[in-house]
Amino acid sequence: MLHRSSPRLLSLSLVSLLALAGCAATDPTASPPEPTTDTHGEIAGAAELAEPALGLTSIDAEGRVSHLDLLDESTADLGAVRSPRAVHSDGRYLFAADETGVSIVDSGVWTWDHVDHFHYYRAEARVLGDVEGRGVATVVTSNSSTTGGTGVFFPDSGDAVLLDTEALSKGRIEESFRLSGEPGAGLVVPVGSFAAVATGDVVTLHTADGAPTDDSAACIEPAGTITTRVGAVIGCQDAALLVHVEDEKPVVERIPYPAGATAPRAVAFANREGRPRVAALAGDAGIWVLDTRARAWTLLAAPEPIVQVTAVDDADANLLALTPDGRVLVLDGETGARRAASLPLVAASLAAGANATLVADHQRAYLNGPIEGRLWEIDFADGARIAREFVPERTPTFFAETGR
């Protein structure tokens, strides 16, 4: 394994000391995660840690799962799952989907966000099992890996499934509900102790056992979702829906695009986990930034063509983007201006249509190159410097940063 030295271990230790003091940097105005029962994310048999056990959990084309520990750079073999067509993650679990179902991997590391500080845990890493279905499922997670639900929608059958995330944290796969619908695109979006089901041109709200509430909203061609500190976002043709819980009831708010906007709508959102601002491509016209706290969209011009974008939503309002030739850009989140750029890293992967994915936490960004056979750690605050480069034994066809 090749790498360059990095100050990350020292930085993580400093962060952990702040967390244990109850003052790690989060948003003090945010509401706590739903539901409100507070166990600090603790699970029987898990060890609480002094710092986050960050790792890169990857799955190759044959479904073999590996976990790279970013603290000591050791690699563990976690077993095998179905050969994935798509992989989703909440920072603890990986959900590997193919045409016949979803395999679930527990990386065994997670962070509990307690609003003004964090708690860090490690448990046994393992493959939990499978959820059967028809069609490559869309999986939607929340910001909690120990409570609430995880949504799974199977497009070929129209089955809408809500998994019990607390049961997952204890090693069990349990369906809170499975609703039959029409085949086609759809989403099951967990919202506290509720779930929003988006199919056709409507979003309906359901309790955790699948019973419909009296709440629904029009949503033409729903596509794209993400959960922030404020609530769950669902992309629609003319707006985003923001779904959150107030007084133990689900609330749906519509955030329309700016009047007169002609840029293509957002169809996929990305950010540093849980932060209130999210980013999305506006087709070839630039970048949409959605501030879920302000309930407002901003359209930014990109300095050059980009194929992915994510909002770090840090003190410097950084956006990170990936160019068609495989460079990582650091952009000003207020203006879209370029602040820094890396050398080309994943040009071959992007040219081949491989699943090169850029993710960010509060200190680093991570990128996989399936064709290049590499994983990179990028210090976006230091001129997009390559802090470490890893050469894993198995191809990182898909990956997620875990433990965050």
Side-chain angles (χ1 to χ4, degrees):
M1 180 179 298
L2 302 177
H3 66 276
R4 299 178 184 178
S5 61
S6 167
R8 184 170 181 80
L9 298 183
L10 176 59
S11 299
L12 288 173
S13 297
L14 292 173
V15 169
S16 66
L17 289 175
L18 291 173
L20 291 175
C23 56
T26 61
D27 188 340
T29 67
S31 300
E34 291 286 343
T36 56
T37 300
D38 187 359
T39 61
H40 296 91
E42 185 176 3
I43 293 295
E48 185 165 6
L49 308 175
E51 58 187 358
L54 298 179
L56 302 181
T57 307
S58 60
I59 305 177
D60 70 10
E62 288 72 44
R64 296 176 298 180
V65 187
S66 303
H67 179 80
L68 169 64
D69 188 314
L70 287 170
L71 295 179
D72 63 16
E73 300 185 4
S74 63
T75 300
D77 181 352
L78 302 190
V81 295
R82 63 188 68 235
S83 299
R85 289 279 305 279
V87 172
H88 307 265
S89 179
D90 67 345
R92 174 179 177 176
Y93 308 103
L94 277 71
F95 302 87
D98 71 2
E99 294 82 357
T100 63
V102 177
S103 298
I104 305 175
V105 178
D106 183 356
S107 70
V109 288
W110 69 96
T111 293
W112 176 258
D113 182 348
H114 201 233
V115 182
D116 61 345
H117 65 282
F118 300 104
H119 293 264
Y120 312 110
Y121 296 97
R122 181 190 293 277
E124 179 188 1
R126 51 188 167 172
V127 175
L128 297 181
D130 300 275
V131 180
E132 301 301 323
R134 289 165 37 209
V136 179
T138 298
V139 180
V140 181
T141 62
S142 71
N143 290 334
S144 173
S145 59
T146 58
T147 60
T150 298
V152 183
F153 189 88
F154 292 102
D156 289 2
S157 65
D159 282 357
V161 180
L162 184 70
L163 301 178
D164 184 333
T165 305
E166 182 177 356
L168 287 182
S169 71
K170 299 175 182 178
R172 306 190 308 271
I173 298 176
E174 296 180 1
E175 297 183 4
S176 299
F177 67 66
R178 181 180 286 250
L179 306 176
S180 297
E182 295 296 322
L187 300 167
V188 180
V189 181
V191 185
S193 56
F194 300 88
V197 178
T199 57
D201 291 334
V202 66
V203 172
T204 56
L205 274 295
H206 300 260
T207 61
D209 62 2
T213 71
D214 296 329
D215 308 281
S216 65
C219 182
I220 299 172
E221 298 180 2
T225 183
I226 193 169
T227 298
T228 76
R229 283 190 175 280
V230 182
V233 173
I234 301 174
C236 309
Q237 187 181 75
D238 61 347
L241 298 184
L242 179 66
V243 189
H244 54 103
V245 177
E246 291 184 7
D247 298 325
E248 300 183 353
K249 295 181 179 180
V251 176
V252 181
E253 297 182 55
R254 181 175 295 273
I255 307 174
Y257 285 103
T262 58
R265 59 169 288 192
V267 295
F269 303 94
N271 74 343
R272 172 163 64 97
E273 183 180 22
R275 299 299 300 161
R277 297 209 314 165
V278 304
L281 294 177
D284 295 329
I287 301 166
W288 283 116
V289 176
L290 174 62
D291 186 330
T292 57
R293 179 163 289 113
R295 274 70 164 173
W297 294 93
T298 302
L299 180 63
L300 302 177
E304 59 182 289
I306 58 174
V307 295
Q308 290 180 38
V309 65
T310 187
V312 180
D313 199 14
D314 56 358
D316 294 324
N318 283 308
L319 299 176
L320 303 181
L322 190 62
T323 66
D325 65 354
R327 289 173 294 126
V328 175
L329 304 182
V330 183
L331 306 178
D332 185 318
E334 303 296 335
T335 67
R338 186 173 70 179
R339 290 173 165 165
S342 74
L343 295 173
L345 299 174
V346 291
S349 289
L350 293 175
N355 190 68
T357 302
L358 179 65
V359 300
D361 64 26
H362 69 294
Q363 287 188 315
R364 296 289 191 266
Y366 296 93
L367 177 68
N368 68 318
I371 302 300
E372 294 80 5
R374 298 288 193 276
L375 291 160
W376 290 272
E377 180 181 79
I378 301 158
D379 187 347
F380 54 82
D382 187 17
R385 176 178 61 88
I386 305 304
R388 289 188 285 183
E389 179 177 293
F390 303 99
V391 185
E393 293 182 6
R394 296 174 177 171
T395 301
T397 306
F398 297 91
F399 91 106
E401 183 187 5
T402 49
R404 56 184 170 82

